[in-house]
Every structure is written in structure tokens, then in C-alpha cells.
Amino acid sequence: MDTQSKSQLIDTIYNHLKHQIRQGLLPNGAKLSENTLAKDFSCSRTPVREALKRLEQDGFVVIIAHSGSYVKDITMVDYQQLTEVRAYLEALAMRLACENGADPSVLEQILDSMDELWKGGRTFDVQTFSSLHYQFHLELVKLSGNNLLVLTYSRLNLSEAALLFAQNITDRGITKTQAEHRRIVQAIRDRNEKEGERFMLSHLWRKRDRFRAQTQAI
């Protein structure tokens, strides 16, 4: 296998496992077998090991000597710290999106899909709703037009589940969250960077406070 093909294979394994972890298909603490993965991708264990090392560097996996590789077990403290960092990253994204006059239509489309899922009268699909919620925040960061910011944000290991963790999945809770999301979109449309930045920080810091309260209660 030439160098380029090997690199592409490592990328494929890496992206596959990252997607599975982010979707919750590989739960916290799950052991990742190098032999099984090598068979799944019809390759030797070497590219699997390289992919796992990258996942460890990016905070998705923990590699324990003489034991193996495991999906990182995210603790309540981890959730709190992640939220503290992303609060300021998304507040910066809001400021930049407003300053740049970004078009928030993509955000409105995601919110419409979330509302349809929530009010559709069917059994509520939490996984799909969570995925859309994650996509909303990711697309918001992309509207900043700052590639370094997008890269930094994407490496926080924010899963869809993390965005809904400790949030009450009730009509009242979703109504409030969606109203706040719509307010964020309006701030971008109005190019009100000060209000948008302030409100985004407030929106996420309340979530951070809930994580902190649960951390102290343990």
C-alpha cells in the first residue's frame, strides 16, 4: 500500500469511528478492538492504530497500555468545561456572523426541521432532534467565516448527546430553547453583534451552570 492510500485509509477509519462516537453508537467506555477493526476494513492493524492515536489526540478515545483503546468516558466535569469553552467560541462566532452580515437562512431551516419533529404528532425522536440541535450550533460557527474558529470548535468533541445532556426534554424546555434559538437567528439577521454576542454567552452559560450544579452535587 502506497503512502497516499495508507493515509486515506487512516482517514476513513478515523472518520468512521468519530461519527459512531458522536452519534452515540459507540457508548462511553466501549472497548475498540484493533483486530475487529482491521477485519472490518480489510487491513492490517497498523492503520487502525494510527487512527486510534488520532482519536486519542482529539479527545475521543483513551489508550491504556497493556489494556486497549476505549471510547472516552465523558464526565460531568468534562461537560462543564466543554460548555465553558464553547460558550465563548460561539459568542465570538455570533459577533463575526453579525459583523459579516451572514445569511442565517440555514439556521432557520434547521429550526423549522426541529419544530416539525417536535410538533409532528409522531413519537418524538430524541436522537434526530439532538443531531439537528448539534447541526444548528455547528452551522452557526461556520457563519463566522473564520476557518480557525470552525476547526477549534470541531475539535471540542461535542457530541449531539452532549448538547442535550441535562436538558429537560419537555414541551416547556424545548419551547424555551427554540425561542432562544430564534432570537439568536434574529440577532444575526439584524446584524446586532453586541446583543447577539451577549445573548449567546448567556444562552450557553446557563447550561454550564446546570452542569456545575450537578458536578457539585456528586
Side-chain angles (χ1 to χ4, degrees), residues 59-166:
F60 291 94
V61 165
V62 174
I63 299 177
I64 302 174
H66 311 300
S67 178
S69 301
Y70 302 84
V71 176
K72 184 177 180 180
D73 188 5
I74 305 296
T75 67
M76 197 64 66
V77 172
D78 291 324
Y79 280 123
Q80 176 189 328
Q81 293 178 353
L82 280 169
T83 306
E84 289 168 351
V85 173
R86 66 176 280 242
Y88 281 91
L89 293 180
E90 292 193 44
L92 173 59
M94 276 292 296
R95 171 171 281 276
L96 294 176
C98 291
E99 286 182 351
N100 296 336
D103 181 0
S105 297
V106 64
L107 301 182
E108 291 177 318
Q109 291 170 7
I110 294 171
L111 294 180
D112 289 343
S113 295
M114 292 170 74
D115 283 344
E116 182 180 354
L117 189 68
W118 165 40
K119 301 175 180 178
R122 304 181 300 274
T123 301
F124 182 53
D125 186 343
V126 176
Q127 184 69 32
T128 301
F129 188 87
S130 182
S131 180
L132 288 168
H133 190 182
Y134 170 76
Q135 197 64 35
F136 173 86
H137 285 269
L138 179 60
E139 291 299 328
L140 167 64
V141 173
K142 289 180 179 179
L143 288 181
S144 71
N146 186 310
N147 292 333
L148 180 58
L149 176 57
V150 175
L151 177 62
T152 302
Y153 186 84
S154 66
R155 297 190 68 174
L156 284 181
N157 186 16
L158 287 170
S159 68
E160 289 83 346
L163 288 171
L164 285 179
F165 197 88

Side-chain angles (χ1 to χ4, degrees):
M1 180 182 297
D2 59 42
T3 302
Q4 183 177 0
S5 296
K6 181 180 178 181
S7 178
Q8 290 174 343
L9 177 58
I10 293 170
D11 287 344
T12 298
I13 298 170
Y14 169 87
N15 289 323
H16 171 77
L17 291 174
K18 183 171 73 171
H19 176 76
Q20 294 246 309
I21 293 169
R22 279 183 159 171
Q23 292 291 328
L25 301 175
L26 286 172
N28 291 345
K31 186 170 184 177
L32 303 172
S33 168
E34 290 184 7
N35 288 331
T36 300
L37 288 168
K39 289 179 181 178
D40 289 344
F41 288 93
S42 302
C43 65
S44 69
R45 292 168 62 183
T46 300
V48 172
R49 287 198 191 103
E50 291 300 316
L52 290 172
K53 286 179 183 177
R54 280 180 57 188
L55 288 164
E56 182 182 40
Q57 291 171 353
D58 289 348
F60 291 94
V61 165
V62 174
I63 299 177
I64 302 174
H66 311 300
S67 178
S69 301
Y70 302 84
V71 176
K72 184 177 180 180
D73 188 5
I74 305 296
T75 67
M76 197 64 66
V77 172
D78 291 324
Y79 280 123
Q80 176 189 328
Q81 293 178 353
L82 280 169
T83 306
E84 289 168 351
V85 173
R86 66 176 280 242
Y88 281 91
L89 293 180
E90 292 193 44
L92 173 59
M94 276 292 296
R95 171 171 281 276
L96 294 176
C98 291
E99 286 182 351
N100 296 336
D103 181 0
S105 297
V106 64
L107 301 182
E108 291 177 318
Q109 291 170 7
I110 294 171
L111 294 180
D112 289 343
S113 295
M114 292 170 74
D115 283 344
E116 182 180 354
L117 189 68
W118 165 40
K119 301 175 180 178
R122 304 181 300 274
T123 301
F124 182 53
D125 186 343
V126 176
Q127 184 69 32
T128 301
F129 188 87
S130 182
S131 180
L132 288 168
H133 190 182
Y134 170 76
Q135 197 64 35
F136 173 86
H137 285 269
L138 179 60
E139 291 299 328
L140 167 64
V141 173
K142 289 180 179 179
L143 288 181
S144 71
N146 186 310
N147 292 333
L148 180 58
L149 176 57
V150 175
L151 177 62
T152 302
Y153 186 84
S154 66
R155 297 190 68 174
L156 284 181
N157 186 16
L158 287 170
S159 68
E160 289 83 346
L163 288 171
L164 285 179
F165 197 88
Q167 176 178 308
N168 292 326
I169 306 301
T170 62
D171 283 347
R172 182 179 179 182
I174 294 176
T175 298
K176 182 178 180 181
T177 296
Q178 287 293 83
E180 291 183 355
H181 285 159
R182 297 283 181 185
R183 186 171 171 183
I184 288 167
V185 170
Q186 191 60 49
I188 297 175
R189 196 167 289 287
D190 293 341
R191 303 185 67 172
N192 190 341
E193 63 266 21
K194 290 184 178 179
E195 168 65 13
E197 184 179 38
R198 183 199 66 77
F199 184 71
M200 175 57 80
L201 189 58
S202 174
H203 173 70
L204 290 172
W205 208 255
R206 286 194 296 274
K207 183 184 292 290
R208 174 265 186 188
D209 286 343
R210 290 197 294 272
F211 288 137
R212 187 168 185 266
Q214 292 188 49
T215 298
Q216 295 174 336
I218 294 176

